[in-house]
Amino acid sequence: MREWVELHLGHRISESRLADFEKRVLLASAEAGFEEPSEFIASLIRGGENNEAIGYMALYLTIGETYFFRDAMSYSVLKASILPEVLKRKKPGERLSIWSAGCSSGEEPYSIAMTAMTVLSDFRSEAGPIEARILATDVNKQSLKVARSGIYRRWSFRDIPAFIKEKYFTIREDETYALKDEVKSRVDFAMLNLAEDGYPSIVNGTDNLDIIFCRNVLIYFSPEQVTNTLLKFHKCLRPGGWLFLAPSEIPHPAPKFFHVQNLNGAIVLQKVEEIDIKEKAPIKIVHSNYSYFGSTREDMRLSIDNLIESPPAMPESREPPIEIDFENLQSKLTEFYDQGRYSTIIDALPQISTSMEDSDSSETMGLIARSFANLGNLEAAIDWCDRLIAQDTINARWYYLKATIHHEMGDDEAALRSLTQSIFLDESYVIAYFVLGNLHRQRGEKVKSSKCFSQVARLLQERTGTDIVQDSDGLTVGQLKSIVSSLGGDSQI
Ligand SMILES: C[S@@+](CC[C@H](N)C(=O)[O-])C[C@H]1O[C@@H](n2cnc3c(N)ncnc32)[C@H](O)[C@@H]1O
């Protein structure tokens, strides 16, 4: 399976990631709607034109996280340096062509489109008006479906200034944001697996390009696949064309056929012509928070406010922030949560967000998600669950939390998927089996529900009655035992 993934998707799974890999296969299988992982694997291997399984696999091998204007520095460099340089060289009738490769749910290509539209609106050229086309591809069909819809939840924006949302989106009744047609119509989406040979090609529009964005994808590839992909990108580009990687993705050793540049912290590769590419030293993408020439990105942080032309600043009215002692952040938030002070937690979000460290913020995010759910803002609760899962992918508890919110929203199919993922990740997670059993019961699926209740009974068999069941909001083992036995859960099955 590991070899298959490397051959067909380009991803290298190291020995140390094997246990994690197994779990990700199970998660992808559940998300793709397979009850048996073996059927999912068979479908992967069968392949074929409409093979959706490979997309699910890709999604679970990468952290599918993306958001508008992610790594603002890249867009700043695109706006201030690269686009003006590219546009200057355009001849009459030529258009601007950009490819976002591994575009996930579309936030990246749409951010490129917005940036290009801003630059083009000011650009005067002897070549006359220039049209911009953006091609966006991914191997995951579900992500492409979201991308084509142009509808996003709040979390896709992170800390994007409100005026960008107001300029390019309309807010809908369910508090999601719909991208306006003027941006949507500039981007064409298509499925493309970067590990295959479908590019460059005039047929799918991957030839003669000015700029390619391929960020947070190559980092997962084997060195051989990175080298091949970079060589193919080289062929896709026009003379002097540009390739953007993520700021933390450093190609090593530096490819000879690209000139690697650090433009204010953004890693940009410019096509080098007339180079003998016979010599193919495998190139790795090295993950580093240090830019190519050794300086940190921290000091080069740039505001995204000036990427899109902003309206005149309006004075902001803000509630005074609540004082929180960050030394004991988690215990203080738990205390608030236990007291039912959900709004206090949400009001303190701006302070909490700045103090969250990636490594230990999962519990805090869990409390935020639960607080939103308790306040009835289920959209926001789901957004926080997605963020949690992106950060702590193989923790069964977050899938369970997401399932409970989906259920609350009336989306039982999604709840079932998340619960299946939760128990794949932790076969001893009692509460997930219990809720799954209830869900099957409500749907009249008797065999499935009693299987779940029996599993709960089995897991509780050896435990003391007064113990509290994890994540059950105070239910004791004794109480749960008698509930499942009344529902037909038999530990002897
Ligand atoms: C982390 S997302 C990157 C999204 C966006 N480029 C960004 O930086 O925000 C990685 C994406 O790469 C896609 N991907 C992974 N392997 C791929 C492959 N072999 N061909 C095409 N896309 C792939 C995944 O489906 C996922 O949508």
Side-chain angles (χ1 to χ4, degrees):
M1 184 67 195
R2 202 172 146 207
E3 283 83 32
W4 188 93
V5 163
E6 182 159 335
L7 193 66
H8 294 275
L9 264 177
H11 296 226
R12 162 121 345 141
I13 317 294
S14 61
E15 282 293 327
S16 60
R17 282 184 64 208
L18 268 184
D20 181 65
F21 174 59
E22 216 177 293
K23 289 193 166 157
R24 284 170 197 254
V25 175
L26 296 180
L27 290 171
S29 155
E31 176 87 28
F34 287 86
E35 297 217 345
E36 286 301 324
S38 57
E39 286 170 22
F40 171 70
I41 293 173
S43 154
L44 262 179
I45 293 172
R46 259 197 321 272
E49 278 274 294
N50 280 323
N51 187 7
E52 297 203 10
I54 195 165
Y56 284 106
M57 200 61 250
L59 187 70
Y60 274 88
L61 288 177
T62 56
I63 311 279
E65 227 212 0
T66 182
Y67 44 94
F68 286 100
F69 294 101
R70 175 184 193 177
D71 290 317
M73 192 61 73
S74 309
Y75 295 97
S76 171
V77 165
L78 178 69
K79 182 186 173 201
S81 313
I82 309 289
L83 281 176
E85 195 268 345
V86 168
L87 292 174
K88 210 170 59 201
R89 291 192 280 134
K90 288 281 166 210
K91 300 198 181 79
E94 275 186 357
R95 66 182 189 182
L96 172 69
S97 302
I98 306 179
W99 177 20
S100 160
C103 66
S104 193
S105 39
E107 288 87 337
E108 178 179 274
Y110 287 138
S111 303
I112 297 171
M114 291 179 221
T115 311
M117 284 160 71
T118 307
V119 175
L120 282 171
S121 67
D122 285 344
F123 190 75
R124 301 279 164 269
S125 131
E126 287 168 13
I130 295 171
E131 193 205 339
R133 291 304 310 161
I134 290 127
L135 168 71
T137 64
D138 201 283
V139 69
N140 183 279
K141 283 193 177 170
Q142 266 54 41
S143 304
L144 290 171
K145 213 163 134 193
V146 175
R148 283 194 189 97
S149 77
I151 294 174
Y152 293 95
R153 288 204 297 259
R154 220 165 323 159
W155 184 241
S156 288
F157 298 94
R158 312 288 152 97
D159 42 10
I160 292 299
F163 74 84
I164 296 189
K165 277 190 260 176
E166 279 154 22
K167 187 164 178 175
Y168 292 119
F169 293 84
T170 37
I171 184 153
R172 304 179 346 138
E173 264 177 20
D174 60 0
E175 296 203 6
T176 54
Y177 293 82
L179 186 67
K180 291 189 179 162
D181 267 347
E182 55 183 297
V183 185
K184 235 170 115 179
S185 60
R186 308 243 173 191
V187 185
D188 296 317
F189 290 96
M191 183 175 163
L192 190 147
N193 182 350
L194 290 168
E196 288 177 357
D197 283 333
Y199 62 106
S201 158
I202 193 167
V203 178
N204 58 19
T206 50
D207 67 324
N208 242 336
L209 297 161
D210 295 299
I211 301 165
I212 300 174
F213 269 64
C214 184
R215 302 183 311 157
N216 303 296
V217 182
L218 298 184
I219 190 83
Y220 301 100
F221 283 11
S222 67
E224 294 74 20
Q225 194 57 247
V226 170
T227 316
N228 272 332
T229 307
L230 287 178
L231 281 165
K232 286 192 267 180
F233 281 161
H234 181 273
K235 287 191 193 145
C236 292
L237 287 166
R238 285 193 175 137
W242 299 88
L243 166 64
F244 278 79
L245 301 180
S248 57
E249 294 180 315
I250 315 294
H252 180 79
K256 295 204 172 112
F257 43 100
F258 277 112
H259 178 206
V260 183
Q261 307 195 36
N262 171 355
L263 300 176
N264 281 342
I267 301 295
V268 196
L269 282 63
Q270 187 172 27
K271 175 169 175 163
V272 172
E273 296 300 318
E274 315 283 332
I275 187 99
D276 180 8
I277 306 183
K278 263 183 260 137
E279 181 205 333
K280 282 212 290 185
I283 301 161
K284 272 193 200 145
I285 298 286
V286 186
H287 210 284
S288 163
N289 283 330
Y290 292 88
S291 62
Y292 204 71
F293 304 102
S295 52
T296 68
R297 289 170 52 213
E298 286 343 286
D299 21 319
M300 297 185 192
R301 245 196 215 142
L302 188 114
S303 151
I304 45 177
D305 288 28
N306 53 17
L307 285 175
I308 304 289
E309 225 167 301
S310 54
M314 298 278 281
E316 273 188 34
S317 63
R318 279 234 173 111
E319 296 283 317
I322 295 143
E323 283 306 317
I324 288 197
D325 167 17
F326 288 115
E327 290 272 295
N328 304 306
L329 179 67
Q330 185 58 33
S331 63
K332 195 72 206 158
L333 293 179
T334 310
E335 197 182 308
F336 287 153
Y337 185 84
D338 292 342
Q339 293 164 352
R341 294 172 64 189
Y342 310 124
S343 308
T344 310
I345 297 177
I346 303 306
D347 288 345
L349 256 183
Q351 286 171 274
I352 299 172
S353 302
T354 51
S355 77
M356 278 195 302
E357 289 297 322
D358 276 355
S359 54
D360 60 3
S361 57
S362 302
E363 293 298 328
T364 307
M365 290 201 237
L367 279 177
I368 296 169
R370 276 193 281 265
S371 300
F372 271 123
N374 282 313
L375 289 168
N377 188 344
L378 301 178
E379 271 293 325
I382 287 280
D383 280 356
W384 280 90
C385 285
D386 285 342
R387 184 178 173 187
L388 246 174
I389 288 171
Q391 177 176 296
D392 192 8
T393 319
I394 53 173
N395 189 330
R397 295 177 62 213
W398 312 137
Y399 293 88
Y400 166 71
L401 179 58
K402 192 171 174 189
T404 59
I405 299 165
H406 277 309
H407 180 53
E408 191 80 16
M409 291 168 113
D411 187 352
D412 284 349
E413 290 301 325
L416 276 176
R417 274 200 306 275
S418 297
L419 284 169
T420 313
Q421 290 173 324
S422 179
I423 57 180
F424 271 154
L425 288 172
D426 184 354
E427 287 175 354
S428 60
Y429 193 30
V430 178
I431 196 71
Y433 277 108
F434 177 60
V435 173
L436 186 59
N438 272 326
L439 211 60
H440 283 313
R441 188 166 165 265
Q442 281 166 17
R443 294 158 60 97
E445 297 160 347
K446 281 197 187 139
V447 178
K448 287 182 178 172
S449 76
S450 56
K451 250 185 169 174
C452 290
F453 293 141
S454 299
Q455 178 67 359
V456 174
R458 240 190 314 265
L459 288 169
L460 295 181
Q461 219 166 20
E462 306 292 320
R463 290 186 53 188
T464 322
T466 49
D467 279 359
I468 300 289
V469 179
Q470 191 188 18
D471 295 326
S472 70
D473 281 334
L475 197 66
T476 65
V477 167
Q479 287 167 327
L480 189 55
K481 269 184 182 168
S482 64
I483 297 172
V484 290
S485 108
S486 70
L487 291 171
D490 179 356
S491 63
Q492 305 311 311
I493 291 178

